[in-house]
Amino acid sequence: MGPYERRGGVTSAEQRDPSVCDVSFNREGRDEMTKASISLQDLRRRLYVKAKAETSWRFWGLSVHVCKLETLRAAYSLAEKNDGAPGSDGVTFGTIEAQGVDAFLVQIRDELVERTYVPLPSRRQEIPKDGGKVRVLSIPAIRDRVVQGALKLILEPIFEADFQPGSFGYRPKRTAHEAVNRVAKAIVQQKTRVIDIDLRSYLDPFSYCPLVFEAQSKSWP
């Protein structure tokens, strides 16, 4: 993945605070980061605190934490909790558990570390819509869901620090009911102006992000 720059600007090596990685910074600081022992929960907390305190901070070396078995196990647990149909390879959670979850995750970890990991083509499922139209749902393989989940676990606290208090969509520990309650409170406060925006066919195939499809043919990171 290499250095990850959250916003514009470059931070020199001398200015990078190692507190996120729990290492003393010196010339070997970058190498020491790969050896640092830190729990996933503590890492996510530190990433959030750092991102919240210094909005222009440049985070680097995050792929190390994405590739950790602890991160991959947490991502697998989240994917299993959500369940869902198998991807194009037909592999189910039952199949993985029968063959061994640890072996499954170690293989993913090795591919990520060796940079040989390549996402599988997503299985496409058509969902009927009004007017006889359909929305095509792309269903990734479980192995790809695990990698996506691992990336989310590491990147989420960095971007979460940027959200406004009134943002609710797809955020951790926030529900649609909380959003409705906030709207109700705003109405009581006579904040009655509503702006509704709907982008037509925004999620139709190839219309919203061609890079998603291009990325499937390239190795990570």
Side-chain angles (χ1 to χ4, degrees), residues 66-69 71-73 75-76 96 101-118 141-148 150 220:
V66 173
C67 299
K68 287 181 178 179
L69 281 176
T71 308
L72 295 173
R73 285 195 184 98
Y76 178 85
I96 294 171
V101 175
D102 285 344
F104 173 75
L105 296 178
V106 167
Q107 181 178 352
I108 294 177
R109 189 274 311 275
D110 291 345
E111 291 181 11
L112 291 174
V113 171
E114 296 167 3
R115 300 194 174 189
T116 58
Y117 167 78
V118 179
I142 294 176
R143 66 191 295 274
D144 296 331
R145 287 180 232 172
V146 170
V147 175
Q148 292 168 8
W220 184 92

Side-chain angles (χ1 to χ4, degrees), residues 13-193:
E14 291 76 10
Q15 293 174 318
R16 292 174 184 156
D17 185 348
S19 60
V20 170
C21 309
D22 195 24
V23 295
S24 58
F25 195 87
N26 49 41
R27 289 187 177 182
E28 287 75 37
R30 185 180 295 273
D31 295 331
E32 287 296 319
M33 181 179 178
T34 64
K35 305 174 186 177
S37 177
I38 181 173
S39 70
L40 177 61
Q41 182 178 4
D42 194 23
L43 171 66
R44 282 169 54 84
R45 180 186 61 81
R46 294 188 185 198
L47 288 171
Y48 176 83
V49 170
K50 190 68 177 180
K52 195 71 172 178
E54 302 186 37
T55 57
S56 61
W57 188 257
R58 182 182 182 184
F59 292 87
W60 53 276
L62 298 180
S63 61
V64 170
H65 301 291
V66 173
C67 299
K68 287 181 178 179
L69 281 176
E70 181 186 5
T71 308
L72 295 173
R73 285 195 184 98
Y76 178 85
S77 296
L78 291 173
E80 185 181 26
K81 182 178 179 180
N82 293 331
D83 200 4
S88 59
D89 58 357
V91 175
T92 65
F93 287 102
T95 302
I96 294 171
E97 291 169 6
Q99 297 177 354
V101 175
D102 285 344
F104 173 75
L105 296 178
V106 167
Q107 181 178 352
I108 294 177
R109 189 274 311 275
D110 291 345
E111 291 181 11
L112 291 174
V113 171
E114 296 167 3
R115 300 194 174 189
T116 58
Y117 167 78
V118 179
L120 296 173
S122 295
R123 183 166 67 87
R124 302 172 69 79
Q125 179 70 43
E126 293 186 350
I127 301 176
K129 296 176 58 177
D130 294 339
K133 296 182 178 180
V134 296
R135 170 171 292 171
V136 179
L137 179 65
S138 295
I139 305 175
I142 294 176
R143 66 191 295 274
D144 296 331
R145 287 180 232 172
V146 170
V147 175
Q148 292 168 8
L151 284 166
K152 179 178 181 290
L153 285 169
I154 301 303
L155 296 179
E156 183 177 62
I158 297 174
F159 287 97
E160 179 66 18
D162 288 338
F163 280 105
Q164 297 297 318
S167 300
F168 286 87
Y170 301 101
R171 294 183 65 189
K173 299 181 180 180
R174 294 206 172 204
T175 67
H177 295 291
E178 291 176 321
V180 171
N181 291 338
R182 185 177 178 90
V183 171
K185 182 178 179 180
I187 292 175
V188 171
Q189 297 173 341
Q190 297 185 346
K191 298 178 181 179
T192 56
R193 180 175 295 179

